């Protein structure tokens, strides 16, 4: 029953995304007191209504930037951003790069679709591979979330900086740091391709061994990051628990060439028998 009421609010927000929205009105749409509505909405969506609306508005502005030959500030104004400076500030806080950097790089951002309680199931392609060891020259992540670090990496053309101008595949390399209780994340290229400026990087040695390989389902530029996140959720929530394997030691990897515009990446998980 509560899902039905929250879904009614989500539909209302979508229909009035360009209008002034406040919690009192949304609570009325849901049929709850404002206090009860705020608690239920946050439990369901994992965001406050204000944060959800802000993320949805930014996402729609980004989608329309790529589809319409209009100034970004005009589109942003339609969604309640009352100045170019206001939109730039909010965009930078959300994605860690400037709107102008996004337009120049045309990279894939982590956008928010309308919230759904029941999402369609993903079906990544899965294979097994024995991988020979190699090394990656990579920048340590200095952002809270990996997607934000990818935005910076792509906007600053760090891949070309590392390679000396050659287009090559990028590797997101990660391992859980038990001592610090956090994910250590890096982005870079294979060592043999690193013929440019490697200042500020570290060398990561990828272990030889058996890996599960997952190719994310085809996506568009604007839902690519969401598909990646959902693929990772599926790997650890469904595939690994039901397989004959557990995660082995060493690094996990996600590999992609941004300029390919294929919007599908390959994920490697080191394995060992249960």
């Amino acid at each position: 029953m509560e899902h039905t009421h929250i879904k009614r609010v989500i539909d209302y927000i979508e229909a009035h995304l360009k209008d002034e929205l406040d919690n009192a009105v949304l609570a009325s749409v849901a049929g709850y007191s404002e206090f009860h509505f705020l608690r239920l909405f946050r439990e369901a969506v994992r965001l406050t209504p204000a944060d959800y609306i802000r993320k949805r508005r930014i996402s729609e502005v980004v989608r329309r930037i790529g589809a319409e030959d209009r100034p970004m500030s005009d589109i942003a104004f339609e969604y309640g951003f009352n100045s170019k400076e206001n939109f730039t500030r909010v965009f930078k806080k959300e994605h860690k790069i400037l709107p102008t950097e996004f337009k120049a790089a045309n990279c894939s951002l982590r956008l928010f679709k309308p919230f759904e309680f029941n999402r369609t199931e993903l079906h990544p392609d899965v294979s097994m591979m024995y991988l020979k060891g190699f090394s990656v020259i990579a920048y340590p992540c200095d952002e809270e979330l990996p997607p934000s670090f990818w935005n910076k990496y792509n906007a600053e053309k760090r891949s070309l900086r590392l390679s000396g101008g050659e287009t090559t595949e990028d590797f997101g390399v990660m391992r859980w740091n038990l001592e610090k209780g956090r994910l250590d994340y890096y982005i870079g290229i294979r060592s043999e391709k690193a013929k440019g400026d490697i200042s500020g990087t570290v060398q990561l040695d990828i272990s030889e061994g058996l890996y599960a390989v997952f190719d994310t389902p085809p996506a568009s530029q604007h839902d690519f990051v969401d598909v990646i996140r959902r693929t990772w959720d599926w790997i650890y929530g469904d595939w690994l628990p039901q397989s004959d394997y557990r995660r082995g030691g060493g690094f996990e990897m996600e590999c992609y060439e941004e300029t390919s515009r294929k919007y599908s990446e390959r994920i490697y998980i080191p394995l060992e028998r249960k």
Side-chain angles (χ1 to χ4, degrees):
M1 181 65 73
E2 291 174 351
H3 284 190
T4 300
H5 292 186
I6 297 301
K7 177 63 167 60
R8 187 190 306 154
V9 173
I10 296 297
D11 291 343
Y12 182 88
I13 290 172
E14 289 304 307
H16 297 84
L17 203 55
K18 298 179 182 180
D19 303 330
E20 189 71 31
L21 294 166
D22 61 52
N23 290 333
V25 171
L26 299 180
S28 176
V29 171
Y32 294 120
S33 69
E34 189 171 337
F35 175 81
H36 193 48
F37 161 70
L38 289 173
R39 180 178 65 81
L40 292 177
F41 189 94
R42 187 158 193 167
E43 286 178 358
V45 183
R46 304 298 187 219
L47 293 167
T48 66
D51 285 340
Y52 175 81
I53 292 167
R54 174 177 53 79
K55 289 177 182 291
R56 283 291 302 121
R57 284 174 171 164
I58 294 173
S59 297
E60 288 308 302
V61 172
V62 171
R63 291 178 193 278
R64 290 183 59 182
I65 286 171
E68 301 177 19
D69 185 20
R70 296 173 56 199
M72 187 186 308
S73 55
D74 288 357
I75 299 172
F77 185 76
E78 288 185 25
Y79 287 88
F81 299 99
N82 53 21
S83 69
K84 181 179 179 180
E85 292 73 23
N86 174 244
F87 177 69
T88 296
R89 176 180 55 79
V90 174
F91 186 98
K92 177 70 181 294
K93 183 178 180 181
E94 180 72 20
H95 296 298
K96 310 306 178 185
I97 58 174
L98 296 169
T100 50
E101 292 176 317
F102 161 66
K103 288 197 71 174
N106 196 28
C107 53
S108 305
L109 300 179
R110 185 186 184 191
L111 303 187
F112 279 75
K113 292 183 176 181
F115 177 79
E116 299 174 342
F117 283 102
N118 299 307
R119 307 192 72 173
T120 55
E121 188 174 329
L122 288 177
H123 296 282
D125 291 333
V126 185
S127 60
M128 310 289 279
M129 176 185 296
Y130 192 87
L131 200 64
K132 292 185 177 180
F134 64 95
S135 62
V136 172
I137 299 298
Y139 297 98
C141 179
D142 58 2
E143 295 290 344
E144 183 178 355
L145 298 172
S148 298
F149 190 48
W150 274 102
N151 293 344
K152 181 187 294 185
Y153 181 88
N154 288 323
E156 296 177 355
K157 302 185 184 305
R158 293 192 184 188
S159 184
L160 293 175
R161 184 190 308 172
L162 290 176
S163 69
E166 179 186 356
T167 299
T168 187
E169 188 175 39
D170 296 305
F171 290 77
V173 182
M174 69 209 80
R175 181 168 55 190
W176 186 256
N177 188 321
L178 289 173
E179 182 178 336
K180 296 182 179 180
R182 73 179 190 195
L183 185 72
D184 287 340
Y185 194 92
Y186 309 82
I187 305 176
I189 65 176
R190 291 181 67 119
S191 296
E192 64 268 25
K193 297 287 187 178
K195 301 174 183 177
D197 180 4
I198 62 171
S199 58
T201 65
V202 296
Q203 178 174 310
L204 306 173
D205 295 320
I206 307 303
S207 301
E208 179 175 357
L210 181 65
Y211 287 77
V213 184
F214 305 87
D215 290 305
T216 62
S220 70
Q221 177 185 7
H222 296 316
D223 64 4
F224 183 37
V225 179
D226 181 60
V227 168
I228 293 170
R229 181 186 61 79
R230 291 172 61 199
T231 300
W232 278 103
D233 289 345
W234 178 82
I235 291 169
Y236 275 97
D238 292 274
W239 191 86
L240 267 178
Q242 296 172 23
S243 75
D244 296 327
Y245 300 91
R246 59 174 169 261
R247 187 199 183 287
F251 290 104
E252 297 172 325
M253 297 176 290
E254 44 189 6
C255 312
Y256 179 64
E257 185 183 309
E258 179 69 29
T259 56
S260 72
R261 304 303 183 204
K262 292 180 179 178
Y263 305 116
S264 176
E265 77 167 16
R266 178 162 287 183
I267 294 172
Y268 294 83
I269 307 290
L271 296 178
E272 58 184 36
R273 284 280 183 179
K274 289 180 179 176

